[in-house]
Structure formats: structure tokens, C-alpha cells
Amino acid sequence: MSSSDIDSILIEDRQFEPPAAFAAAARVDEKALAALHRAAQKDHTGFWAALAQTELDWETPFTQTLDDSHPPHYRWFHDGRLNVSWNCLDRHLTMDGDKTAILFEGEKGDTRRLTYAELHRETCRFANVLKQLGVVKGDRVIIYMPMVPEAVIAMQACARIGAIHSVVFGGFSANALKDRIEDAGAKVVVTADGGHRAGKIIALKAAADSAIEHSAVKPEHVVVLKRTGEAIPMHAGRDLWWHDAVAGVSDDCEPVWVEAEHPLYILYTSGSTGKPKGIQHSSAGYLLGTVTTMKWVFDLRPDDIFWCTADVGWVTGHSYVAYGPLAAGGTVVMYEGAPTVPDAGRFWAICQRHGVTVFYTAPTAIRALMKFGDEIPARYDLSRLRLLGTVGEPINPEAWMWYHRVIGKERCPIVDTWWQTETGVHMIAPIPGAVATKPGSCTIPLPGIDADIVDEHGNPVTQSDKGGYLVIKKPWPSMLRTVWGDDQRYLDTYWSKFDNRYYVAGDSARRDEDGYYWIMGRIDDVLNVSGHRLGTMEVESALVAHHRVAEAAVVGRPDAIKGEGIFAYVVLKGERPTLGSEQKLTEELRAWVAEQIGAIAKPDEIRYSDNLPKTRSGKIMRRLLRTIARGEEITQDTSTLENEGILGQLRGKE
Ligand code: 7RM
């Protein structure tokens, strides 16, 4: 797609100033923000160095802030040493070990509260278990867990001993888990007998067994948390129960001090090919980003009850459940289940029960809950809420206004935060006491983040109605460091387009007269389904792996709740099913994709044709397929189609 194709259609002119009462008490007001921006502009590395000194505890202080001698590989604070779990836990104990770290609620209503002292103890114990299993600094541990405190404990335990974790979302299938075990070369897998979600039990251990059975890499041990109590097979010598393993283990575990650049984790995310990318993050720079954004964007204060609804399987759950809130010494809420169990008031019931003050969720959840009307939230006391946030995809102004009016009672600022797995933390987002918001815009880049919008040649786009490539022009501490095991892919995907000068996010955006950013969508073949990134190629690879499928092309189309829905065009090896008789095969293929990737990747609709429309050079005409999926009039040139007759089939008319 060339940037000239990216014309903006969204016009929104409402603007909301920071509420006076909020601004007066905020950590960062307008004046403070101006000072931060000035400091960052004057001395980019000095700005980050000062924050790294004040916001993090170091075992060995760093002497060099940024090593930029080998772009686009950057090292931040590289000769300093610290420990992430120390910064999240130990350093708060001296202040107040009895402070609540985690407030947990299971889908069935069970609750648990862990103080900092308890979380510290559990983390140390589990770290000692990992050590006993032979895990040492640099080893990879896969975490495939429900949303329970032990998921965070396992992550923190890895960080404590310098092991690199890779959390795999519990909604992913055995096959997806297998790919990640192999790519990461995992030594240990931490899982559970199952988890509760939407009234069902997610059979995590069964999936883990199947993944390992088919994996070329064989993890030495599987630690299993008892969560549901379902009977599951245990493999003697390989598997051990979490509760058995921690029994009798010491509460003490000296942190392993690691270099600032030591990888904290690998998190797999979708790109434009079928193979997920292992995004590799650092220790110090990443952690610094989480703390600064907790304070700037979430305005986190000691008495806040912070709830980010994301699963720890996504980057949002890493930065704003497992690390950021703890590094900032806050109290974080974790909820295991679905937003609609037992009914669509669950989120608001949790907000009321735990006194949530800062609430962060995805536009898809807001849209889904909005559908149930204003009466449901009206049943709950939401008066403790003071700040709301969104992430994952552009929020449509209608959902923004509903969130503002019905949940925030026109009193809470809304922070629309643009960022990615790769950026580690918020990049473009309002600082709520300082920046006016506009529904649908993520507003302006944070201090120390040098974002821009450029054209095909890398020149800034200055017209406010023109879109372009969203790029970041200077390195920032929490940026990804590479793609695990595939540095070439790091270079190709993020840097080569503009000769290694700019980080290319893969999103298109425009900037209005006030300098506000409006994200317009992905430039590559990546779908955003319910705020989750999925490569069209991933879904295509899954489809063609089915014995009846010869070829497949997958495109996105707008979906009122999910943001984007999945539409698949399939060419079969044998006969095309006659119109009206495709139901059974469609269900089979949908179930197949769920098995290959996970239920989130199931196509909403599948259409069968004799061929796919291709250009003379053999490229699938995706634009045409998108037009058809949306049911729009075809304006593209179709004269190069070898078989114009397939148009009728693609439109489902023949
Ligand atoms: C945090 C996360 C990243 C992609 C990104 C965008 C889209 C995320 C917003 C957004 C518009 C937002 N990581 N995206 N946040 N688009 N406004 N506030 O979602 O790696 O899973 O996805 O999500 O396209 O590139 S992610």
C-alpha cells in the first residue's frame, strides 16, 4: 500500500480538557509535561538517564546511557546491573510489605489478596523450584497459564533468576504452543490443570502434553498448578505439581543480578508471514518504560487500585499486570474469566467490589458491553473510578463517548494508548492531567518518544488530512532488541524500509492541525481481531494444512464488536461444494483453524471458489478480496483476471 492511498475519512472535532479537579491533583500537569518535553528534546539520552537513575534500583550503576554504535541495534544502560523482580518486589518491602500487591478474582467468584510480602515469598519459592529443576540464567521457560496470581509469580520468579520467560496465551492451541516451545527452545513449561473461562474449563495441561508430544524440543520438566481439580495425567519424572514442588522450599532467593540488556522475555506476536515472531525485550530499559508510563499515563498513586483487564499472554498483561504496576509499587487487580460471566455486569461488579480507581481495557470489550445498554453499569457503584484507558485498536468515537458518559460519568479522563508488543510500553498517549483528549485519537507522543508520520521516501507528511507510515525516529529504552533467533527478520520488518534510520511500526496514521495522532490501521497483512494481532498468513497456513484445502486467502473486514472479522477465500483440492451445501465443511475448517491456532483465529465466513484472483505476476489481489468481503462495489481493474467467471463465485453468487 502506498501512503498516497491512505486518505483519512474520520473527522471528529470534539475535545475534552483535563477535568480541573483531576489536573490539580495529577502527578504531571501541563507545566510539568512541558518541562518533560523540553528536557527530552534538549538531551534525549540525558533525559532517559535521569529517569533510569531515579526510577530504578541498580546493583551496579550504568556509566553509558545509550550505545548506538551499531544501529539499528541499540543498548541502553548496558554496563549497569539490576534485577527486575527486586525492583518489582524487594524494594517495596522496606516501605510497606503489608500493602496489597495483587487482588485476584476467579471467574467463579473466589477471591485472593496477596501482599507484597506474600508475593515476594511466593516468587522466591518458585524461583527456588526453577533452580532445583536446573533452570539457570538465560534458559527459556514457557508459561501457559490461566489468569491467576501464579502466572505473575512464575514470571517474576524467572526474572529473579535471570531465566527468560515466554508466556503463551492460554487461548492458544496445542499446535501454537508447540511452535513456541520449539522456537524458544524451552527447558521448562509451567502450566495448570486448567482454567475457568466463559463457564468452561480450558484444558491447559492436555494441550501442553500434546504440544510436547509433537515438539522437536522436549522440555525437561512441566510444573502443573492445580486450579480446576480436574483429573489429568502426570508423566512420571517429567511432570510435577506446583504445590508439591514449593512445599519445603526456602522463602529466600537471592536475586541474580543481570546486565541491563539481559533478555527479560520473549513474546510471540503476529507478522505478515505465517511464522510468529519472538519479540525479545531487555531488562532495564523495558522496566523503565513500564514504570514511567504507569506514572505518566496512569497517574498511578499509592492508594490507587489499578485494573488492566488484559491476559498475561499479551504484551499488555506483561507491562500493565505483571511488571509495571508492581515496579511502581501499586495494587493490581487480576480477573481470571470472561467479561460476560455471570452477566455483562461482571467488569463493573469487580470495579465496585475492589474499589478500582484506574481501569484499562480494550475497545472491543467496551463495544461488547455497550451493546447491553446503560442499565447494567448503572446497577454498580463506579464512583471510585478516576481514570479510564483503552488499548489494542482504534476506538470508535461512539464507544469512546459511551465509556466517557456511562462508565466515567463524564468525570474520568480517557487515555487512549497507542503502542505495540515491539514498543514494550505506551508510545503515543495523553498524560491525563495535561493533555486534552479527542474521541478516537491517541493524542500526542510521550516525552522522550520521537514519533513522526512519513511518506514512501521517509519525508514527513505535514498535511493534516494525509496519512503515512508511523515511525519512531530515535531509539527508546523499552524498544524490542531483536527477533529471537532471527535477527534478519528484525532488520527486514522494522528497519530496512527507511535504511535503518527509523523504526517502522507497520501502522498508518495521520496527524491533525493540533499535532494529534489518529491511527488508521495496519499497513501489512496483519488483522486486529478483538485487539489481538493475527497474521493473515497464519490463518492461511492453518487452512492450507487441512487435507482438502489447496489454496487460501484471508482478509479482514470491519466488525461492529471485534473491530475486524476474518473472511477466508478457499480453493479446494477437489470439487467446490455447491452453493448452500458448504455448511458442514465450513464448520470443519473453522474448528480446524481453532485447533491449529486458537479460537480467536476462526474465520467468520468462508467462501469457496475455483481459483483465487491473481495479478499477472501471480500476486493475490487482496484489495479486490477485501472489497468483496465488505460487500462493496468493485472499482478495481479486474481485466487481468484469467478467469473473470470466478468473480461471481467470490461474491457468493454462483
Ligand atoms: C498493545 C498492543 C499492536 C497493534 C498496533 C496497532 C494496534 C494498539 C492502539 C492501536 C489504535 C490504539 N500490542 N493498536 N493500540 N491502534 N489505537 N490505542 O495492542 O502488538 O498486540 O498490537 O495494535 O495496529 O500496531 S499488539
Side-chain angles (χ1 to χ4, degrees):
M1 188 190 239
S2 83
S3 60
S4 59
D5 293 334
I6 311 173
D7 285 324
S8 173
I9 41 163
L10 190 73
I11 307 291
E12 167 66 51
D13 51 19
R14 278 171 291 206
Q15 181 165 322
F16 295 84
E17 295 299 325
F22 188 100
R27 273 183 180 273
V28 182
D29 62 11
E30 219 176 312
K31 237 174 98 198
L33 179 58
L36 286 172
H37 278 301
R38 258 196 319 274
Q41 266 149 20
K42 201 163 132 243
D43 179 5
H44 181 71
T45 51
F47 171 77
W48 286 115
L51 285 166
Q53 278 150 2
T54 53
E55 300 298 329
L56 301 180
D57 275 16
W58 296 86
E59 185 252 359
T60 307
F62 59 92
T63 64
Q64 187 182 15
T65 304
L66 174 65
D67 170 12
D68 56 3
S69 56
H70 297 92
H73 293 105
Y74 298 98
R75 299 194 298 167
W76 284 91
F77 323 118
H78 70 93
D79 60 351
R81 297 205 314 167
L82 48 49
N83 180 279
V84 167
S85 128
W86 173 280
N87 275 275
C88 291
L89 304 172
D90 303 55
R91 67 164 164 168
H92 307 310
L93 295 180
T94 48
M95 286 183 269
D96 184 5
D98 289 333
K99 175 164 183 172
T100 303
I102 295 179
L103 283 167
F104 168 74
E105 183 164 321
E107 187 170 84
K108 294 178 145 183
D110 49 318
T111 58
R112 266 167 80 192
R113 182 179 94 95
L114 277 95
T115 64
Y116 269 90
E118 287 163 342
L119 182 60
H120 175 260
R121 193 182 65 219
E122 296 308 319
T123 297
C124 287
R125 288 155 71 101
F126 198 67
N128 283 329
V129 168
L130 292 175
K131 282 199 289 194
Q132 281 177 4
L133 296 178
V135 177
V136 297
K137 180 182 167 195
D139 283 346
R140 275 80 58 208
V141 174
I142 294 260
I143 299 175
Y144 185 59
M145 302 270 278
M147 264 303 274
V148 295
E150 282 77 6
V152 173
I153 292 168
M155 293 165 81
Q156 288 284 344
C158 287
R160 195 159 192 91
I161 61 171
I164 303 167
H165 63 66
S166 185
V167 183
V168 177
F169 173 51
F172 277 135
S173 68
N175 189 57
L177 177 62
K178 180 204 80 140
D179 289 346
R180 287 153 178 79
I181 290 172
E182 286 181 342
D183 192 81
K187 192 168 194 174
V188 167
V189 173
V190 184
T191 187
D193 50 358
H196 301 286
R197 175 100 195 169
K200 293 198 227 66
I201 283 181
I202 313 289
L204 295 168
K205 175 61 161 59
D209 285 343
S210 155
I212 295 168
E213 186 189 328
H214 296 102
S215 170
V217 169
K218 301 291 182 198
E220 291 167 25
H221 292 286
V222 178
V223 186
V224 188
L225 178 77
K226 193 182 274 272
R227 169 68 187 144
T228 63
E230 297 285 290
I232 49 150
M234 296 289 276
H235 294 234
R238 187 195 74 181
D239 300 354
L240 64 165
W241 287 105
W242 179 298
H243 57 269
D244 289 339
V246 296
V249 162
S250 163
D251 293 356
D252 274 340
C253 178
E254 268 301 296
V256 172
W257 305 108
V258 300
E259 315 77 66
E261 284 293 312
H262 181 66
L264 177 64
Y265 67 82
I266 303 163
L267 183 60
Y268 288 87
T269 190
S270 297
S272 49
T273 75
K275 190 175 177 288
K277 291 180 286 213
I279 302 301
Q280 181 183 317
H281 276 290
S282 71
S283 293
Y286 172 78
L287 195 66
L288 179 61
T290 68
V291 191
T292 52
T293 52
M294 282 305 302
K295 294 185 178 177
W296 291 344
V297 180
F298 292 131
D299 189 45
L300 196 81
R301 287 187 298 206
D303 54 353
D304 270 320
I305 306 291
F306 176 79
W307 184 21
C308 161
T309 65
D311 190 281
V312 288
W314 308 109
V315 73
T316 308
H318 283 60
S319 302
Y320 302 110
V321 178
Y323 290 112
L326 299 175
T331 298
V332 64
V333 173
M334 278 182 90
Y335 170 55
E336 175 189 35
T340 47
V341 176
D343 59 41
R346 187 60 181 269
F347 274 7
W348 322 126
I350 294 173
C351 285
Q352 172 181 301
R353 186 152 42 244
H354 302 286
V356 172
T357 58
V358 181
F359 178 70
Y360 188 40
T361 196
T364 184
I366 298 168
R367 285 191 299 266
L369 298 176
M370 178 171 92
K371 213 179 58 181
F372 292 90
D374 302 5
E375 318 77 62
I376 294 186
R379 287 181 205 147
Y380 299 92
D381 175 8
L382 301 177
S383 62
R384 296 284 303 276
L385 286 174
R386 63 180 196 93
L387 178 60
L388 303 173
T390 71
V391 60
E393 55 178 312
I395 181 164
N396 48 312
E398 190 198 352
W400 197 101
M401 288 307 298
W402 185 82
Y403 201 29
H404 170 70
R405 187 172 52 79
V406 178
I407 306 305
K409 316 285 184 218
E410 301 181 4
R411 173 175 44 79
C412 306
I414 296 178
V415 290
D416 175 347
T417 60
W418 178 85
W419 59 295
Q420 309 176 289
T421 305
E422 293 86 343
T423 68
V425 302
H426 304 157
M427 301 295 279
I428 308 180
I431 289 189
V435 177
T437 55
K438 303 183 188 187
S441 167
C442 53
T443 76
I444 58 172
L446 291 174
I449 302 303
D450 193 13
D452 204 353
I453 295 168
V454 300
D455 66 16
E456 204 56 46
H457 310 288
N459 299 318
V461 174
T462 48
Q463 274 169 281
S464 62
D465 58 347
K466 282 282 172 225
Y469 295 88
L470 179 55
V471 297
I472 314 291
K473 293 182 159 178
K474 286 197 190 103
W476 66 101
S478 68
M479 66 195 295
L480 79 165
R481 295 309 196 257
T482 185
V483 172
W484 177 259
D486 194 353
D487 193 56
Q488 193 57 46
R489 199 165 171 199
Y490 169 74
L491 302 173
D492 294 345
T493 310
Y494 304 108
W495 298 95
S496 68
K497 177 141 190 98
F498 300 114
D499 305 320
N500 292 350
R501 285 178 303 150
Y502 307 148
Y503 167 82
V504 183
D507 282 351
S508 59
R510 75 172 180 102
R511 200 169 32 211
D512 70 16
E513 297 77 8
D514 300 325
Y516 277 45
Y517 284 69
W518 299 78
I519 306 297
M520 294 158 68
R522 298 288 305 182
I523 293 166
D524 51 20
D525 291 324
V526 172
L527 306 171
N528 193 327
V529 180
S530 300
H532 298 148
R533 253 166 84 170
L534 285 171
T536 51
M537 271 285 283
E538 277 176 277
V539 185
E540 288 164 7
S541 312
L543 283 166
V544 298
H546 187 277
H547 68 277
R548 288 192 59 186
V549 176
E551 258 193 303
V554 164
V555 298
R557 68 156 177 217
D559 180 286
I561 303 284
K562 295 195 286 187
E564 214 166 4
I566 302 179
F567 195 106
Y569 297 88
V570 165
V571 178
L572 295 177
K573 283 181 185 150
E575 283 281 287
R576 188 166 65 92
T578 52
L579 217 56
S581 73
E582 58 282 84
Q583 195 62 25
K584 204 169 146 261
L585 179 61
T586 295
E587 279 319 309
E588 186 179 326
L589 291 179
R590 280 164 43 85
W592 171 259
V593 172
E595 197 182 308
Q596 294 291 303
I597 306 174
I600 46 170
K602 269 192 200 173
D604 296 291
E605 195 168 338
I606 299 180
R607 197 154 292 163
Y608 302 90
S609 60
D610 292 332
N611 337 92
L612 294 175
K614 292 191 181 157
T615 63
R616 276 188 215 286
S617 62
K619 282 214 180 87
I620 295 173
M621 297 168 75
R622 287 179 180 281
R623 246 204 324 146
L624 175 66
L625 293 178
R626 270 194 287 267
T627 305
I628 296 172
R630 292 164 186 228
E632 290 166 2
E633 220 35 61
I634 296 173
T635 54
Q636 287 94 336
D637 177 13
T638 54
S639 61
T640 57
L641 276 180
E642 273 176 41
N643 171 7
E644 282 225 52
I646 66 163
L647 276 179
Q649 297 175 9
L650 296 170
R651 283 151 75 184
K653 297 273 162 58
E654 279 165 35

